[in-house]
Amino acid sequence: MREMDWRVATWNVRTMLAPGKMKEVTSEILRYKLDIVALQEIRWQGGGQIDKKEFSLLYSGPENRTGYGGTGFFITAEMRKKLLNFEPISERMCMIRLKGRFRNVTIISVYAPTEDADEQAKEDFYDVLTNKMDQIGQHDMVLVLGDLNAQVGRESAVRTVAGNFSLHDESNNNGFLLAQFAESNRLVIKSTSFPHKRIHLGTWKVPGSEVVNQIDHVLVSARHASGVLDVRTMRGPNCDSDHFLVRAVVRFRLANIRKERGIRRCKWDIDKLQVDDERQIFQNNWKGSLCRITWKG
């Protein structure tokens, strides 16, 4: 089997409205040789696609110029060749589908309401996300990436979908909501499934303090969970955001096509069946074969 790895990431960049911010963000992504990055808080209005020589930016924002929210994707020029569809959903969500050799890959970039947000806003967010999950083909590998604003703990209640390596001992309300969503949609939270040092688990630095929480996550469909080889925080990339970039390594296995040696297939010369004598010989041999098969049975 041949193997191919995708370097996928999620990054809350805080804003891309500031002059030069798009160049700053894309330069950092290219420097770290990432293939696909789910982006949050782009804050651009509407939805669309910007194509450059080395990459494309796909974005989904509010209909009005609010300067709030916004999600999107950075994809390299190579990944652009695999792009089947981009769906801008809202300022909190967008989705891409990419062509794979044996299965297609659907990736959703999300920006969830904060822990202190209205409960109705949280419910609406997960209702829309669940609805989109229901529309995805059952054979697709699904990745949900983004700022979920969720602290997932190590409680036994969430362990089946979250693993044992969260930065936090206890889940907050958003953490339980995320775990419930994962279980209902047969997903696994891979960002809390690898034994990294604490410095490589925290994703968001609380403003004005040294406290770091883990609230940005990577989820994958359970049937393809083994394809995610690693998830960790990368502290090197910098775009003046209080969130760190979270990188995942996703592996796809590609089958080698092998030719069998020493085996030759016989081709029938069907033109001979147009000759009476040749056709009679064939019919006699065929009847004899059927008789032997019947006798052996």
Side-chain angles (χ1 to χ4, degrees):
M1 299 288 286
R2 293 188 296 117
E3 297 174 338
M4 176 181 66
D5 293 348
W6 288 6
R7 293 161 64 89
V8 181
T10 179
W11 201 7
N12 183 325
V13 296
R14 293 295 289 171
T15 183
M16 287 178 64
L17 287 175
K21 191 61 180 285
M22 186 181 88
K23 182 178 180 181
E24 181 182 16
V25 170
T26 55
S27 294
E28 287 294 272
I29 293 173
L30 290 169
R31 184 163 71 96
Y32 281 86
K33 299 180 180 179
L34 301 170
D35 300 303
I36 302 169
V37 181
L39 301 169
Q40 298 85 45
E41 288 204 79
I42 294 177
R43 306 191 187 189
W44 288 351
Q45 181 183 3
Q49 180 172 336
I50 299 173
D51 293 325
K52 300 290 186 180
K53 181 180 179 181
E54 295 180 283
F55 64 89
S56 288
L57 279 174
L58 306 99
Y59 61 95
S60 175
E63 294 182 2
N64 300 318
R65 189 182 295 275
T66 63
Y68 174 80
T71 59
F73 287 98
F74 165 101
I75 59 174
T76 61
E78 185 63 30
M79 286 294 165
R80 185 166 59 208
K81 299 175 185 176
K82 306 177 188 296
L83 184 64
L84 295 174
N85 184 49
F86 166 61
E87 182 180 355
I89 301 167
S90 71
E91 67 270 21
R92 290 197 176 275
M93 202 178 306
C94 62
M95 182 164 66
I96 58 173
R97 192 167 189 241
L98 300 147
K99 179 68 175 177
R101 183 163 182 185
F102 295 108
R103 67 178 62 88
N104 294 329
V105 182
T106 295
I107 308 177
I108 307 176
S109 175
V110 295
Y111 175 46
T114 64
E115 176 74 0
D116 297 329
D118 181 76
E119 292 301 318
Q120 187 61 51
K122 298 179 184 182
E123 184 176 331
D124 292 344
F125 169 80
Y126 278 106
D127 283 347
V128 173
L129 185 53
T130 298
N131 180 261
K132 291 301 173 184
M133 288 290 299
D134 292 339
Q135 298 174 19
I136 297 172
Q138 62 176 338
H139 299 296
D140 281 22
M141 181 181 195
V142 181
L143 291 163
V144 179
L145 309 173
D147 180 359
L148 276 305
N149 278 300
Q151 294 181 19
V152 179
R154 303 193 194 102
E155 300 95 341
S156 58
V158 303
R159 195 169 298 157
T160 55
V161 296
N164 299 311
F165 301 104
S166 173
L167 178 66
H168 305 287
D169 295 324
E170 297 180 352
S171 302
N172 60 6
N173 179 260
N174 276 1
F176 283 119
L177 286 175
L178 179 60
Q180 182 180 3
F181 163 76
E183 185 172 6
S184 300
N185 291 275
R186 296 183 292 279
L187 298 169
V188 176
I189 306 171
K190 295 299 286 187
S191 40
T192 54
S193 300
F194 296 97
H196 289 300
K197 296 178 180 178
R198 293 178 66 84
I199 195 172
H200 295 142
L201 293 175
T203 68
W204 173 63
K205 188 174 182 181
V206 179
S209 75
E210 295 300 317
V211 177
V212 178
N213 292 331
Q214 185 179 27
I215 62 173
D216 302 80
H217 294 284
V218 175
L219 290 78
V220 63
S221 43
R223 65 185 299 186
H224 303 120
S226 62
V228 179
L229 303 186
D230 186 45
V231 179
R232 55 159 289 185
T233 296
M234 306 289 291
R235 292 205 166 205
N238 179 29
C239 68
D240 196 28
S241 171
D242 52 4
H243 287 255
F244 300 111
L245 182 144
V246 179
R247 187 205 65 191
V249 179
V250 182
R251 172 160 295 178
F252 302 90
R253 295 185 181 278
L254 306 179
N256 291 320
I257 300 175
R258 298 180 181 179
K259 294 183 179 180
E260 298 291 340
R261 296 181 180 178
I263 299 176
R264 298 181 63 185
R265 292 187 177 182
C266 296
K267 290 186 176 181
W268 288 10
D269 189 355
I270 60 176
D271 290 336
K272 288 184 177 180
L273 296 178
Q274 306 302 318
V275 181
D276 291 342
D277 292 343
E278 295 289 348
R279 183 170 63 251
Q280 189 61 48
I281 293 172
F282 171 77
Q283 289 174 344
N284 291 338
N285 289 337
W286 183 250
K287 289 178 181 178
S289 298
L290 290 177
C291 289
R292 287 195 295 274
I293 292 173
T294 303
W295 182 81
K296 287 182 180 180

